[in-house]
Amino acid sequence: SRRKPALDEKLSSPLQVFGQAKKQINGIFVNIQDYVANASERMTDMNIECPDVINEKELKSILDYRSKVKGICEVLTRDHMKVAFFGRTSNGKSTVVNAMLGDKVLPSGIGHTTNCFLQVEGSQTGEAYLVTEGSKEKQNVESVSHLAHALNYEKQLNEKELVHVYWPKDKCGLLRDDVALVDSPGVDVTPHLDDWIDAHCIDADVFVLVANAESTLMITEKNFFHKVSSKLSKPNIFILNNRWDASANEPEFLDQFNSQEQVRKQHMERATDFLVKELKVCTAEEAASRVFFISAKEVLQARVQERKGLAPNSGALAEGFITRYKEFEEFEHKFEECISKSAIKTKFLNHSQQGKHLIDEICKIMETIFKRSLEQTKIKGAQKKEYQEKLNFTNQQLENLTNMLKIKIRNVTDDVEDKVSKALNDEIRRLYVLV
Ligand code: GTP
Ligand code: MG
């Protein structure tokens, strides 16, 4: 009967579904690795002792599978969820990343600030450091201004280059749960969008378009996402209308109460049309949970205050701060659900299919060997009792291992899917309770 996955641990975020699935599939691949190692050692021995039972071709295949499984295991331990942020210069991409991290990690400011790709991910050692492309040297980062300096002056960085920023995991839940956040230079400052996409976007699970709510979606931003969706099938795209705090300060709006709502409606319609009709990446219903009106600057400020033990709403804030803050949290929640689900599908489903294929191929070889050895056993019959016993023992062991793993690998894809749907159902139930 089919084993149901155990979901005992309490999940505080949908991101942890990814962590659990990763742990589970890792465990299974470690088993497969043991099995293939065991099988190949046995076959190497048998090939020496009984060369008429196992041929060189079969032996070579098993050794090839052994290195393939090792390769998958290595990729698996590195697998993470990846989100990439795009938009025009100064729309607030770096500020959004910082707000999600809950701290001023990346340099932000007026004018053209970010001049290369920056990938923030959790540091294993607990220290903050950065590594530039093609280098292994860890450069210590003590502060944001230090980071900005290292990025701007010490190196002449190419806009296409990727700098890895490793930030202590204990400082941010997203990093702890294996999310890597990629900040980019403005899409308007480069003619090389295709190169960007090939170099940095192909393996992204989620894209966030950081738009400026004070203006409207620009052609350069739209073009970029048209290119992305021509290279990836149905990318997951969120649109953040950032700087929404500015709308609260518009003097015109103070007189006409509805104006802010009208601007929101207009942005919402345009963003929805873009996602649904132009890019065709989601339905109109889905678009409602893909478009948000936020102020990254306010959220960042509030979270920095909270870190210092102050109230989040201390400091000068525009009217409607709480509503905007809540909308940012809602975005984060939808984002977490989306990235976890997507990363499990794209990363682990592929591995588990590869795993199934490998096991099937290995089983075929084993079965051939098994049959051949039975024939050999019959032929040699009572001639050599000892030889026969050795063969029987090996056959039995190989058969047991093969069967056990066949069952395990069959279950893994279903388990991973089960986990996602269970976590989402729980979430929907939780929301119903809240409503
Ligand atoms: P580049 O890296 O140059 O492409 O810019 P960016 O998109 O990363 O923008 P960045 O985060 O550096 O923000 C640009 C400026 O806008 C900074 O001075 C931010 O403080 C400010 N800013 C960002 N988000 C908001 C917001 O929601 N409201 C307001 N009022 N200002 C914001
Ligand atoms: Mg920036």
Side-chain angles (χ1 to χ4, degrees):
S1 72
R2 218 169 134 283
R3 187 172 51 83
K4 280 272 164 203
L7 248 179
D8 306 325
E9 291 168 50
K10 178 100 186 69
L11 300 180
S12 61
S13 141
L15 294 177
Q16 289 167 359
V17 183
F18 177 86
Q20 281 198 343
K22 180 170 166 173
K23 216 159 122 189
Q24 198 180 6
I25 193 167
N26 256 310
I28 287 166
F29 268 92
V30 166
N31 274 345
I32 296 180
Q33 207 174 10
D34 285 351
Y35 163 68
V36 181
N38 199 338
S40 70
E41 271 156 32
R42 248 162 227 293
M43 283 174 69
T44 310
D45 289 350
M46 266 185 90
N47 176 255
I48 297 166
E49 288 179 39
C50 336
D52 43 355
V53 175
I54 295 174
N55 62 43
E56 291 296 327
K57 202 174 142 225
E58 287 156 349
L59 193 61
K60 187 177 173 302
S61 301
I62 286 288
L63 294 174
D64 283 350
Y65 289 136
R66 190 174 176 172
S67 69
K68 270 191 193 151
V69 173
K70 190 164 170 263
I72 297 176
C73 284
E74 279 164 13
V75 172
L76 263 172
T77 52
R78 282 199 312 269
D79 268 342
H80 54 227
M81 296 171 268
K82 177 167 153 184
V83 48
F85 297 81
F86 292 97
R88 277 173 56 88
T89 309
S90 277
N91 278 5
K93 299 174 295 294
S94 305
T95 311
V96 170
V97 174
N98 285 341
M100 290 175 81
L101 293 168
D103 206 350
K104 285 183 184 159
V105 178
L106 300 179
S108 72
I110 47 176
H112 172 39
T113 311
T114 310
N115 55 7
C116 66
F117 278 79
L118 291 167
Q119 174 161 326
V120 188
E121 55 198 290
S123 145
Q124 301 294 350
T125 60
E127 284 160 300
Y129 59 91
L130 66 89
V131 178
T132 51
E133 200 164 309
S135 149
K136 286 209 164 93
E137 188 201 343
K138 290 181 179 179
Q139 303 180 40
N140 275 328
V141 178
E142 278 130 37
S143 63
V144 190
S145 58
H146 185 160
L147 178 71
H149 189 77
L151 294 174
N152 277 316
Y153 304 109
E154 284 172 18
K155 297 243 182 286
Q156 279 302 307
L157 290 161
N158 179 325
E159 48 146 59
K160 206 182 104 181
E161 237 177 274
L162 177 70
V163 171
H164 287 269
V165 178
Y166 294 91
W167 200 251
K169 283 188 174 183
D170 59 355
K171 289 195 176 165
C172 175
L174 284 179
L175 302 181
R176 214 164 22 238
D177 286 331
D178 258 350
V179 179
L181 302 96
V182 178
D183 189 14
S184 64
V187 282
D188 47 330
V189 300
T190 181
H192 308 296
L193 293 178
D194 279 297
D195 293 350
W196 280 16
I197 297 169
D198 295 340
H200 306 293
C201 301
I202 294 303
D203 63 340
D205 300 294
V206 169
F207 295 86
V208 178
L209 164 56
V210 181
N212 186 348
E214 290 168 290
S215 61
T216 188
L217 283 185
M218 302 278 181
I219 297 287
T220 40
E221 291 167 325
K222 287 189 166 190
N223 276 347
F224 176 77
F225 282 94
H226 273 292
K227 279 179 191 286
V228 169
S229 72
S230 73
K231 295 194 186 212
L232 294 170
S233 85
K234 294 218 172 194
N236 296 304
I237 302 172
F238 284 85
I239 298 180
L240 296 180
N241 294 286
N242 191 34
R243 297 172 164 271
W244 192 231
D245 55 316
S247 69
N249 293 330
E250 276 297 302
E252 306 253 312
F253 290 176
L254 297 177
D255 305 330
Q256 305 163 24
F257 181 69
N258 277 327
S259 292
Q260 198 184 4
E261 275 312 304
Q262 275 160 11
V263 174
R264 187 183 171 114
K265 196 162 159 266
Q266 189 194 57
H267 282 327
M268 192 73 201
E269 274 167 12
R270 289 187 184 173
T272 306
D273 277 356
F274 179 53
L275 293 177
V276 179
K277 294 187 185 153
E278 282 188 45
L279 296 179
K280 301 188 175 64
V281 291
C282 65
T283 64
E285 293 75 47
E286 283 164 345
S289 50
R290 290 293 173 88
V291 183
F292 296 90
F293 293 77
I294 55 134
S295 166
K297 190 180 175 180
E298 284 178 344
V299 173
L300 175 61
Q301 223 166 33
R303 290 182 175 172
V304 168
Q305 299 275 28
E306 269 185 312
R307 262 177 203 279
K308 291 184 193 153
L310 301 167
N313 55 355
S314 46
L317 291 166
E319 208 180 296
F321 161 74
I322 299 284
T323 314
R324 285 188 295 276
Y325 191 93
K326 284 203 172 133
E327 188 152 344
F328 192 85
E329 286 185 320
E330 201 187 319
F331 152 67
E332 289 180 302
H333 197 79
K334 294 284 180 219
F335 158 79
E336 288 179 4
E337 274 177 8
C338 177
I339 197 167
S340 173
K341 198 172 166 186
S342 156
I344 288 172
K345 259 210 197 128
T346 55
K347 304 211 153 99
F348 300 153
L349 214 55
N350 186 13
H351 291 322
S352 78
Q353 273 156 1
Q354 277 180 301
K356 273 184 194 174
H357 177 72
L358 273 171
I359 289 292
D360 281 345
E361 292 299 305
I362 295 172
C363 286
K364 270 187 215 152
I365 296 180
M366 294 300 181
E367 271 155 18
T368 313
I369 296 170
F370 185 59
K371 274 190 204 138
R372 202 181 297 136
S373 80
L374 285 182
E375 281 161 19
Q376 295 284 330
T377 315
K378 251 189 229 155
I379 295 166
K380 305 218 166 161
Q383 277 176 10
K384 279 186 182 175
K385 201 163 169 270
E386 197 187 319
Y387 174 79
Q388 193 180 338
E389 275 170 7
K390 196 187 279 169
L391 267 182
N392 283 345
F393 176 71
T394 314
N395 287 342
Q396 195 57 49
Q397 273 206 324
L398 288 178
E399 209 188 1
N400 287 350
L401 275 165
T402 309
N403 286 338
M404 183 189 81
L405 273 150
K406 253 185 180 172
I407 296 164
K408 274 211 165 173
I409 194 73
R410 290 256 146 74
N411 280 339
V412 70
T413 313
D414 300 331
D415 279 1
V416 163
E417 279 167 354
D418 265 6
K419 276 220 165 92
V420 178
S421 64
K422 169 89 168 51
L424 291 181
N425 283 340
D426 285 351
E427 197 45 46
I428 290 163
R429 246 177 275 130
R430 194 182 70 84
L431 287 175
Y432 271 126
V433 173
L434 284 181
V435 173

Coordinates of all heavy atoms in Angstrom, one line a residue, residues 92-95 107-109 113-114 183-185, ligand 2:
G92 N 13.1 50.8 -6.8 CA 13.2 50.3 -5.4 C 13.4 48.8 -5.3 O 13.1 48.2 -4.3
K93 N 14.1 48.2 -6.4 CA 14.4 46.8 -6.3 C 15.2 46.4 -5.1 O 14.8 45.5 -4.4 CB 15.1 46.4 -7.6 CG 14.4 46.6 -8.9 CD 15.2 46.4 -10.1 CE 16.4 47.3 -10.3 NZ 16.1 48.7 -10.5
S94 N 16.3 47.1 -4.9 CA 17.2 46.8 -3.8 C 16.4 47.0 -2.5 O 16.6 46.3 -1.5 CB 18.4 47.6 -3.8 OG 19.1 47.5 -5.1
T95 N 15.6 48.0 -2.4 CA 14.8 48.3 -1.2 C 13.8 47.2 -0.9 O 13.6 46.8 0.2 CB 14.1 49.7 -1.3 OG1 15.0 50.6 -1.7 CG2 13.5 50.1 0.1
P107 N 23.0 47.8 -0.9 CA 23.1 49.3 -1.1 C 21.9 49.7 -1.9 O 21.5 49.1 -2.9 CB 24.3 49.5 -1.9 CG 25.1 48.2 -1.9 CD 24.1 47.1 -1.7
S108 N 21.2 50.8 -1.5 CA 20.2 51.4 -2.3 C 20.3 52.9 -2.2 O 21.0 53.4 -1.4 CB 18.8 51.0 -1.7 OG 18.6 51.7 -0.5
G109 N 19.7 53.6 -3.2 CA 19.8 55.0 -3.1 C 19.3 55.7 -4.4 O 18.9 54.9 -5.3
T113 N 22.1 52.8 -8.8 CA 22.9 52.3 -7.7 C 23.5 50.9 -7.9 O 24.7 50.7 -7.8 CB 22.0 52.2 -6.4 OG1 21.3 53.4 -6.3 CG2 22.8 51.9 -5.2
T114 N 22.6 49.9 -8.3 CA 23.1 48.6 -8.4 C 23.7 48.4 -9.8 O 23.0 48.7 -10.8 CB 21.9 47.6 -8.2 OG1 21.2 47.9 -7.0 CG2 22.3 46.2 -8.2
D183 N 19.2 40.5 -7.0 CA 18.9 41.9 -7.3 C 19.6 42.2 -8.6 O 20.6 41.5 -8.9 CB 19.5 42.8 -6.2 CG 19.0 44.2 -6.3 OD1 18.1 44.5 -7.1 OD2 19.6 45.1 -5.6
S184 N 19.1 43.1 -9.4 CA 19.6 43.3 -10.7 C 19.8 44.8 -11.0 O 19.1 45.6 -10.3 CB 18.7 42.7 -11.8 OG 17.5 43.4 -11.8
P185 N 20.6 45.2 -11.9 CA 20.6 46.6 -12.3 C 19.3 47.0 -13.1 O 18.6 46.0 -13.5 CB 21.8 46.7 -13.3 CG 22.6 45.4 -13.2 CD 21.6 44.4 -12.7
Ligands
MG2 MG 19.4 48.7 -6.7

